[in-house]
């Protein structure tokens, strides 16, 4: 195997990141606070452009954890969560001793199904426990059904925690993802559309909420000369070094979105001639996906081969592809919790595949990918 590895989604530096990191060294701001942290937060606030307040944290998972705390989630509460997602959406529910209630996907965006969501809320209320929050996820960058979910949130007065970890740069009706929930969450892990090597952010509607998140993320220190604590604190603040990488990455975010979307068009063209393969695409012009990952489903009856067969064909050519997120209600750690829906998420998982989608793939990479696909669907 002489060809170099093609990754599903790898870090893509823009060029100015090291300048910000060097500045941090030059001024000795080697700490989880400093000018890069403040600057990165400002950059994100002006990018999201909805009068939001952003707190930079050590990870997206930390942002979900603090987000649930800020929404008042306590031990014994129920929290609704999209089943088809990365486990980091749901794990913080367990950190708090709360109970996850999982919801199926709908077929258009693959995200939380409004019908199953409302059915679940009604059923939980009839059983005597009204859920305290809804975690909705813009999977692979595709906006969930924002209006339907918000209407249900309003009707039942249950706040939405918007997991926008995969959707920085996506929008719905010209409003950026990350700004729809009571609290929004971003991630800058190594494989996301921009990265700080590891990092995340909480998006708040008020300065008080942001300040509270930052307070909790820096060990909940009361205002006193000594270290005094009246609440449980966390060590979740973003480092000034990582934030420097983030500032450089913000300069190329729009170009990364453009390049990821070009990968999506590349796949749409390739598969347009193949009956039995669906590429996840915006359902209408109100939705704009950053297409963080390009994802397909393969109809095994029509094609005679499975998504797993294609994954193996890629692997043999040193190209990484990956099954979709295995739904949470099928995971050993979560399978004993309530679940509402049919089997949409399950069937997506069985038939789906995430394709190499990086903003840094070359013409040569694309040729290799195309060759595997052409050969696979010919034979
Ligand atoms: C990446 C991701 C997270 C977690 O973010 P980290 O920064 O890796 O902790 C949460 N939810 C979803 C949907 C993700 O893809």
């Amino acid at each position: 195997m002489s060809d170099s590895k093609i990754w599903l989604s790898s870090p893509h530096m823009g060029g100015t990141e090291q300048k910000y990191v060097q500045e941090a060294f030059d001024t000795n701001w080697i700490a989880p606070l400093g000018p890069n942290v403040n600057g990165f937060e400002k950059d994100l606030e002006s990018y999201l452009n909805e009068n939001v307040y952003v707190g930079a944290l050590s990870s997206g998972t930390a942002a979900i954890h603090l987000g649930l705390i800020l929404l008042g989630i306590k031990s014994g509460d129920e929290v609704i969560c999209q089943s088809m997602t990365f486990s980091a959406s749901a794990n913080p529910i367990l950190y708090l001793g709360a109970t996850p209630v999982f919801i199926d996907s709908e077929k258009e965006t693959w995200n939380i199904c409004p019908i199953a969501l409302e059915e679940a809320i009604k059923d939980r209320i009839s059983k005597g426990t009204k859920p305290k929050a809804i975690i909705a996820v813009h999977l692979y960058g595709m906006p969930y059904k924002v209006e339907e979910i918000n209407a249900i949130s309003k009707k039942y007065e249950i706040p939405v925690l918007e997991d926008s970890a995969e959707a920085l740069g996506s929008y719905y009706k010209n409003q950026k993802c990350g700004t729809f929930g009571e609290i929004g969450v971003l991630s800058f892990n190594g494989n996301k559309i921009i990265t700080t090597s590891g990092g995340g952010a909480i998006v708040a509607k008020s300065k008080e909420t942001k300040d509270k998140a930052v307070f909790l993320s820096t060990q909940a220190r009361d205002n006193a000369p000594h270290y005094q604590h009246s609440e449980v604190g966390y060590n979740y603040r973003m480092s000034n070094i990582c934030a420097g990488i983030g500032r450089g990455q913000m300069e190329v975010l729009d170009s990364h979105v453009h390049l990821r979307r070009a990968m999506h068009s590349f796949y749409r063209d390739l598969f347009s001639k193949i009956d039995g393969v669906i590429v996840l695409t915006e359902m209408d012009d109100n939705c704009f996906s950053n297409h963080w990952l390009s994802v397909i489903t393969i109809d095994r009856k029509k094609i005679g081969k499975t998504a797993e067969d294609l994954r193996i064909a890629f692997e043999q050519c040193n190209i990484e592809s990956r099954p979709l997120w295995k739904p949470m209600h099928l995971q050993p750690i979560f399978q004993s919790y309530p679940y509402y829906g049919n089997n949409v998420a399950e069937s997506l998982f069985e038939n789906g595949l995430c394709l190499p989608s990086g903003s840094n793939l070359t013409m040569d990479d694309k040729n290799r990918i195309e060759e595997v696909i052409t050969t696979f669907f010919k034979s």
Side-chain angles (χ1 to χ4, degrees), residues 58-62 64 85-86 88-89 137-139 163 165-166 185-189 191-192 198-200 292 325:
S58 54
S59 71
T61 312
I64 295 170
T85 185
F86 179 43
S89 304
V137 190
H138 307 290
L139 221 54
D163 182 345
E166 303 178 358
V185 167
L186 303 173
S187 167
F188 315 110
N189 208 323
N191 61 354
K192 299 287 158 60
W292 170 60
W325 299 124

Side-chain angles (χ1 to χ4, degrees), residues 159-179:
V160 173
L161 188 144
E162 179 190 4
D163 182 345
S164 195
E166 303 178 358
L168 181 60
S170 299
Y171 50 84
Y172 179 78
K173 287 192 174 171
N174 286 323
Q175 183 177 338
K176 293 264 167 54
C177 288
T179 67

Side-chain angles (χ1 to χ4, degrees), residues 97-129:
T99 302
V101 174
F102 292 111
I103 310 291
D104 202 2
S105 296
E106 35 81 9
K107 287 179 182 158
E108 283 170 309
T109 76
W110 300 9
N111 292 312
I112 190 164
C113 170
I115 297 162
L117 172 63
E118 185 159 21
E119 180 200 318
I121 294 172
K122 284 186 181 155
D123 190 56
R124 299 323 287 173
I125 291 174
S126 79
K127 289 189 163 74
T129 46

